[in-house]
Amino acid sequence: MKLLCIAEKPSVAREIEAVYRKYGHPQPKIDFAAFHGHLMKLPNADYYDPKYQKWDAKDLPIIPKFEYVEEDKKSCKALMERIKTGNYDGLINACDAGREGELIFYSFYEGHHLSLPVLRFWASDVTEETLKKALHNLLDASQFQGLREASKLRAQFDWMVGINLSRAATVQSGTKVPIGRVQSPTLKLIVDRELEIRDFVPRDFFEVKARFQTKSNESYDGTMVKEPDWKEIRFDTKEEAEKARGEIGKTATVLSVSETKRTINPPSLYSLVELQKDAAKYFGFRADKTLNLAQSLYETHKILSYPRTESRFLPTAMAKEIRDHLKPICEIPELKPYVDGLADDKIDKVMKSKSYVDNAKITDHHAIIPTKAHPNLVKLSEDEKKLYTLVCKRLLSIFLNPYIELKTTILSKTEDGSVFKTAGKVVQDAGYSVLYPANIKDTVLPKVKKGDALDVIKTGVTAKQTKPPARYNTATLLTAMQNAGQKLTSEELRRILRDTAGLGTSATRAGILEKLESYKFVSVQKQAFIPTDFGIAVCKNYSGHKVFSAELTAEWESKLKQVENGEMTTGVFSTEMEDYVRHETAEALKTESDMKALSYPIIGVCPICGKPMRSYKNYFVCDGYKKGENPCNGCYKKDFFGHKITDAEMKAMLKGKPTKAYALVSPKGSKWTSSIIFDPEKKVLTIASAKGSNHSAVDISKIDEKDKICKCPVCGGIVYRAKNYYLCSNKNETGCSFLCGIHVCGYEVTPEDIREIVETGKTKEKKNFTWKSGKSGQAFLALKNNRVEFEF
């Protein structure tokens, strides 16, 4: 019997093959191959019917008979050629042990209409012992039928929700509105936090302070507190606080002294999301950047274990080889002394602790740790070094002592009966915290005991103010996605979300955050996620749909779990799924919304009416443009004499700053170099200065009387006749934009025409023109936007 073992990635295939070569197998002939992630995908809607290329409400909902198509045709062709020519009697599915691994294998298997028998290789990690055990105990693939069906149904559900609700919202709103099971509730987390911040009204409060002096002339400060929990008292007014302060008196007594030892054990090892949080905290890395760096350390440098993991634990099988994972850490000079100082009995003790080693806490992959390979630090980028060092520190930390501090609390009672609380701490053992940069300072309090007499040497009132919640950053948003659903009323749904790690997976969360930004739903400023007006409007319009809540994920994960366990058939699930999509699509098509303008970014304030000004494809447009009872005319073309004005340039010009100088070209072919500036009086974009123009600067005193035409209607200068144009004498000095060619489409413009245009706005009669196309016709010459143009 000849088998082909297909792993999810080449690196895993090589490791399994190495075990096969080393230990042999009852099956004498096994070949090895690999995917590299998803080679197949669910196709776009127009694959099923070309009419779906156009987004039309009448075609919704789209509920196809799902198929898989090749995403990587070259890899698929090579693998299929091997299967066809290899004369195999069966296949081994060695993809990751989980729902996603089943989907990757069977999307290829079914997409290519294979019928070979399949055995399942099931390993939760890639240690030699585990791989050997899995290889020698291949399972019947039918045991995983429920898991396989659940993986397919989840992919189909996400496809139908995304395709149908996105199209329904887009058709109704007139602008593209992507909607998805994970990205939409994540957006709502960000929007809800922003609205909470905007609605927050800061409240002033006051605290009463006192300084006490012992008989040995040592002093310490306290804050007035109240029973039963001895928490700070917040006075609503300064008058109340001053009144309490005035009653304190001059003496006090120590009411109590309590000491508490606080022990903090080293944290668990890294899952991807925890690594992303710390990388954001220490280095400001975005989630996608951390994932990419970790992937490079895993695939290219081979010094990091598989990074896309939800687990923070190691398998017991790794206990005896963990020292080989610690040795490479010595390559990092700052960490070598700590590795060298580890005692064997301490290592053995930790590896027996379920705080860090627990097979039951591992699903697809164990926690992220350095591999046995020694790093070549010279070949790593600075950011790769930072991330690798961070992972090394986390593994090393679990073998160091806990962080221990002694916290002291003194309650002092003044003669009027008021009680003041004072807190101090002393670090007794820095433990694992020595690995991390920190500004830990001891707060040492005087040695006092209950009943000691004190003098009150100073009192005061401190003004404070309540603060709004902070915006989400990468670390806090990833945590919120993990913990999504905590506010659901159903304990069962909360449990499901806990078991499934909330919204998204370690492999997808970074991509979701990236999409929210690319869709213009949010902007990221100084690591803070801030929803745009567009993102807020999307949530407000469609938040009634469960797809904007973690509840949807919880409900359908519950159903998928029933499919996995054989408690629900795929037919029932599919029927419920289709009914849900039909209902939600119909509701979305009823939702009236006008969000098109909001989908374009704001670049400043309209200089005419003060409303937001947005950047469209070819124009900068005011939100009030041609709208309402008092429509605004704020609309500026981005193309300015051949230069396309950027958002940053327009933003600066609205604040009075000119652009840098550009080579500009007029419609007639004239060329010059000039910066561009916004004229606050005329409310127009204009030339700030011109160099290299083929209209040389003019000395007004030297203009020949016969060349003077009239007063310039734009700036009050003198309009004169030059070689090829009628120009303003201020053309070069102030950048006056008045301009008219002498020869216009076969017609010679006369000085009398210019006078008529200046006096009445256009020529008295239409003139005969012949355009470049050869077509002839008549038109007025009229003054528009400070230039002479055709008026038909």
Side-chain angles (χ1 to χ4, degrees):
M1 191 175 182
K2 185 179 181 183
L3 303 174
L4 178 64
C5 179
I6 307 177
E8 190 168 315
K9 300 172 188 66
S11 59
V12 178
R14 289 192 293 269
E15 295 203 34
I16 299 173
E17 184 174 6
V19 169
Y20 173 72
R21 302 290 178 207
K22 181 176 181 179
Y23 295 102
H25 193 272
Q27 177 58 47
K29 185 57 179 174
I30 301 178
D31 291 340
F32 294 86
F35 304 118
H36 44 83
H38 290 271
L39 297 186
M40 311 292 290
K41 66 177 180 179
L42 290 173
N44 293 327
D46 55 13
Y47 170 84
Y48 301 107
D49 193 323
K51 71 178 181 180
Y52 294 141
Q53 288 183 356
K54 181 181 179 182
W55 291 26
D56 197 322
K58 71 176 185 294
D59 294 327
L60 300 177
I62 301 170
I63 302 179
K65 184 178 180 181
F66 284 101
E67 298 179 39
Y68 292 103
V69 296
E70 295 175 343
E71 186 166 25
D72 185 338
K73 294 185 178 181
K74 183 179 178 181
S75 298
C76 286
K77 182 180 179 181
L79 187 53
M80 278 303 300
E81 187 65 26
R82 186 169 182 184
I83 292 172
K84 288 176 181 178
T85 60
N87 297 317
Y88 295 109
D89 299 299
L91 303 175
I92 299 174
N93 174 10
C95 290
D96 289 351
R99 198 186 280 173
E100 200 68 14
E102 289 293 297
L103 180 63
I104 287 173
F105 182 89
Y106 280 96
S107 61
F108 175 84
Y109 185 90
E110 294 176 3
H112 289 88
H113 309 290
L114 295 171
S115 58
L116 289 169
V118 178
L119 295 171
R120 187 56 159 114
F121 175 97
W122 191 268
S124 60
D125 62 73
V126 292
T127 59
E128 186 177 273
E129 182 179 332
T130 302
L131 295 180
K132 177 186 174 184
K133 183 177 179 181
L135 192 59
H136 284 258
N137 293 276
L138 296 174
L139 305 171
D140 191 323
S142 63
Q143 295 181 36
F144 302 90
Q145 182 69 26
L147 188 66
R148 179 157 61 254
E149 294 299 334
S151 71
K152 290 164 56 178
L153 290 170
R154 183 172 71 171
Q156 293 171 7
F157 179 74
D158 284 349
W159 188 98
M160 284 205 294
V161 168
I163 289 287
N164 287 291
L165 295 190
S166 294
R167 290 188 176 215
T170 297
V171 168
Q172 279 301 95
S173 64
T175 191
K176 189 174 181 180
V177 183
I179 291 176
R181 177 182 61 83
V182 177
Q183 74 185 36
S184 294
T186 303
L187 172 61
K188 193 168 187 301
L189 286 172
I190 299 169
V191 169
D192 286 349
R193 175 60 59 87
E194 182 67 21
L195 296 180
E196 188 179 353
I197 292 170
R198 292 184 185 183
D199 292 341
F200 181 83
V201 178
R203 184 173 64 83
D204 294 329
F205 67 92
F206 302 85
E207 293 178 344
V208 177
K209 306 284 187 178
R211 179 165 296 169
F212 303 99
Q213 183 171 286
T214 67
K215 295 305 178 185
S216 57
N217 293 325
E218 295 180 286
S219 63
Y220 63 89
D221 296 335
T223 303
M224 187 181 288
V225 293
K226 192 175 182 180
E227 293 183 285
D229 51 10
W230 304 116
K231 290 188 176 179
E232 294 181 13
I233 293 178
R234 293 185 174 186
F235 293 92
D236 292 330
T237 66
K238 188 175 182 180
E239 290 73 20
E240 289 178 302
E242 290 289 359
K243 183 175 183 297
R245 174 195 177 194
E247 297 172 352
I248 290 174
K250 297 295 184 181
T251 60
T253 305
V254 175
L255 187 63
S256 67
V257 180
S258 60
E259 291 185 341
T260 306
K261 183 178 287 188
R262 184 182 180 219
T263 301
I264 304 175
N265 290 316
S268 298
L269 298 169
Y270 279 132
S271 63
L272 176 58
V273 70
E274 294 301 324
L275 178 59
Q276 287 169 322
K277 289 180 192 177
D278 269 8
K281 172 184 174 182
Y282 290 115
F283 314 126
F285 291 171
R286 299 277 291 274
D288 55 336
K289 179 174 181 175
T290 299
L291 176 55
N292 291 335
L293 290 170
Q295 201 69 27
S296 174
L297 293 170
Y298 165 67
E299 289 184 351
T300 305
H301 302 288
K302 306 185 187 307
I303 56 175
L304 210 64
S305 64
Y306 183 72
R308 297 170 185 257
T309 176
E310 300 282 1
S311 177
R312 303 183 69 183
F313 294 84
L314 296 176
T316 54
M318 292 192 72
K320 61 185 179 183
E321 58 187 64
I322 197 65
R323 288 172 176 80
D324 292 331
H325 291 269
L326 288 167
K327 288 175 183 176
I329 300 178
C330 291
E331 301 293 339
I332 303 172
E334 66 186 271
L335 301 183
K336 186 178 185 302
Y338 298 105
V339 179
D340 292 342
L342 293 179
D344 285 341
D345 58 343
K346 182 63 179 289
I347 295 175
D348 293 337
K349 182 180 178 181
V350 170
M351 294 310 291
K352 291 176 183 177
S353 168
K354 284 204 170 185
S355 297
Y356 308 104
V357 183
D358 191 344
N359 290 342
K361 298 286 181 64
I362 299 172
T363 52
D364 294 10
H365 300 277
H366 60 66
I368 303 171
I369 62 171
T371 64
K372 300 173 185 178
H374 285 249
N376 185 341
L377 298 180
V378 175
K379 290 187 176 181
L380 301 184
S381 69
E382 286 303 312
D383 287 343
E384 285 173 335
K385 285 180 191 175
K386 288 178 181 178
L387 199 70
Y388 179 68
T389 302
L390 198 60
V391 175
C392 289
K393 284 183 177 182
R394 182 55 68 95
L395 175 62
L396 177 58
S397 72
I398 71 174
F399 300 102
L400 300 183
N401 290 337
Y403 169 86
I404 302 174
E405 66 180 16
L406 185 65
K407 297 186 73 173
T408 304
T409 302
I410 302 173
L411 295 180
S412 310
K413 188 175 184 179
T414 57
E415 59 188 70
D416 70 314
S418 297
V419 175
F420 290 76
K421 183 178 181 179
T422 305
K425 69 174 183 180
V426 175
V427 177
Q428 292 190 324
D429 188 341
Y432 72 90
S433 72
V434 295
L435 300 177
Y436 299 94
N439 187 23
I440 302 174
K441 292 183 178 179
D442 291 343
T443 305
V444 182
L445 299 179
K447 290 290 184 182
V448 294
K449 63 181 183 299
K450 182 179 178 179
D452 282 358
L454 305 166
D455 292 323
V456 180
I457 59 174
K458 187 177 181 181
T459 62
V461 171
T462 302
K464 293 187 176 182
Q465 195 175 62
T466 56
K467 296 181 179 180
R471 290 189 173 100
Y472 286 115
N473 56 33
T474 296
T476 56
L477 184 53
L478 288 172
T479 299
M481 293 176 74
Q482 266 188 306
N483 299 332
Q486 287 185 340
K487 295 181 181 179
L488 296 179
T489 55
S490 167
E491 170 57 33
E492 175 65 14
L493 294 182
R494 291 199 299 271
R495 182 190 62 76
I496 290 168
L497 281 174
R498 284 196 299 271
D499 292 345
T500 55
L503 293 171
T505 66
S506 289
T508 62
R509 289 189 188 105
I512 291 297
L513 301 188
E514 201 173 2
K515 282 181 180 179
L516 291 177
E517 193 173 4
S518 69
Y519 293 151
K520 309 298 183 186
F521 287 156
V522 304
S523 65
V524 182
Q525 301 173 22
K526 296 181 179 178
Q527 298 191 46
F529 285 79
I530 304 172
T532 61
D533 290 346
F534 181 44
I536 293 173
V538 168
C539 276
K540 284 185 175 179
N541 279 304
Y542 298 100
S543 60
H545 295 265
K546 280 187 179 178
V547 72
F548 279 81
S549 166
E551 185 176 359
L552 180 76
T553 292
E555 288 180 353
W556 287 93
E557 279 293 340
S558 175
K559 296 175 190 291
L560 288 170
K561 184 61 68 174
Q562 292 177 50
V563 172
E564 283 187 26
N565 298 334
E567 299 166 2
M568 177 183 285
T569 66
T570 57
V572 170
F573 185 98
S574 295
T575 299
E576 291 188 10
M577 174 172 68
E578 291 171 12
D579 289 345
Y580 171 81
V581 170
R582 285 192 178 93
H583 175 267
E584 290 297 299
T585 304
E587 290 299 310
L589 287 170
K590 293 177 187 175
T591 304
E592 294 185 5
S593 61
D594 181 16
M595 300 188 296
K596 188 171 184 178
L598 299 178
S599 64
Y600 296 97
I602 296 174
I603 53 93
V605 175
C606 175
I608 299 174
C609 72
K611 288 187 174 72
M613 178 157 280
R614 300 180 186 273
S615 174
Y616 285 67
K617 183 178 181 181
N618 296 314
Y619 293 88
F620 298 106
V621 184
C622 170
D623 274 0
Y625 182 65
K626 293 185 177 180
K627 293 180 182 177
E629 295 181 1
N630 298 305
C632 178
N633 294 321
C635 180
Y636 302 93
K637 196 172 183 179
K638 288 186 174 181
D639 188 297
F640 188 88
F641 290 108
H643 170 68
K644 189 167 185 179
I645 300 170
T646 66
D647 290 1
E649 287 173 336
M650 188 63 178
K651 189 180 291 187
M653 284 193 287
L654 291 176
K655 294 179 180 178
K657 299 177 182 178
T659 68
K660 66 180 182 181
Y662 291 106
L664 306 177
V665 183
S666 76
K668 302 299 181 182
S670 298
K671 299 179 180 180
W672 68 96
T673 300
S674 172
S675 55
I676 308 165
I677 196 166
F678 183 82
D679 187 328
E681 292 184 7
K682 300 183 177 66
K683 311 297 184 187
V684 296
L685 296 176
T686 187
I687 296 168
S689 63
K691 295 179 181 178
S693 168
N694 43 7
H695 310 299
S696 57
V698 176
D699 183 342
I700 296 178
S701 64
K702 294 182 180 180
I703 296 177
D704 195 295
E705 285 297 322
K706 67 180 177 62
D707 293 326
K708 291 182 179 179
I709 308 298
C710 59
K711 187 177 181 180
C712 175
V714 177
C715 71
I718 299 172
V719 176
Y720 70 98
R721 175 176 176 145
K723 183 177 179 181
N724 297 312
Y725 292 88
Y726 292 102
L727 303 168
C728 175
S729 58
N730 292 328
K731 176 71 175 177
N732 294 86
E733 184 177 344
T734 66
C736 180
S737 59
F738 182 83
L739 182 72
C740 178
I742 292 175
H743 299 282
V744 180
C745 295
Y747 174 75
E748 184 173 339
V749 180
T750 68
E752 186 58 33
D753 292 331
I754 295 297
R755 292 188 186 96
E756 290 177 3
I757 293 168
V758 171
E759 291 173 6
T760 66
K762 65 181 180 180
T763 55
K764 293 179 180 179
E765 298 177 352
K766 288 186 176 182
K767 309 298 180 182
N768 295 314
F769 299 99
T770 302
W771 286 272
K772 289 182 180 180
S773 63
K775 183 179 179 181
S776 299
Q778 290 188 323
F780 293 105
L781 287 175
L783 185 64
K784 294 182 179 179
N785 299 321
N786 301 330
R787 299 174 63 85
V788 177
E789 300 178 1
F790 295 118
E791 181 178 297
F792 298 95

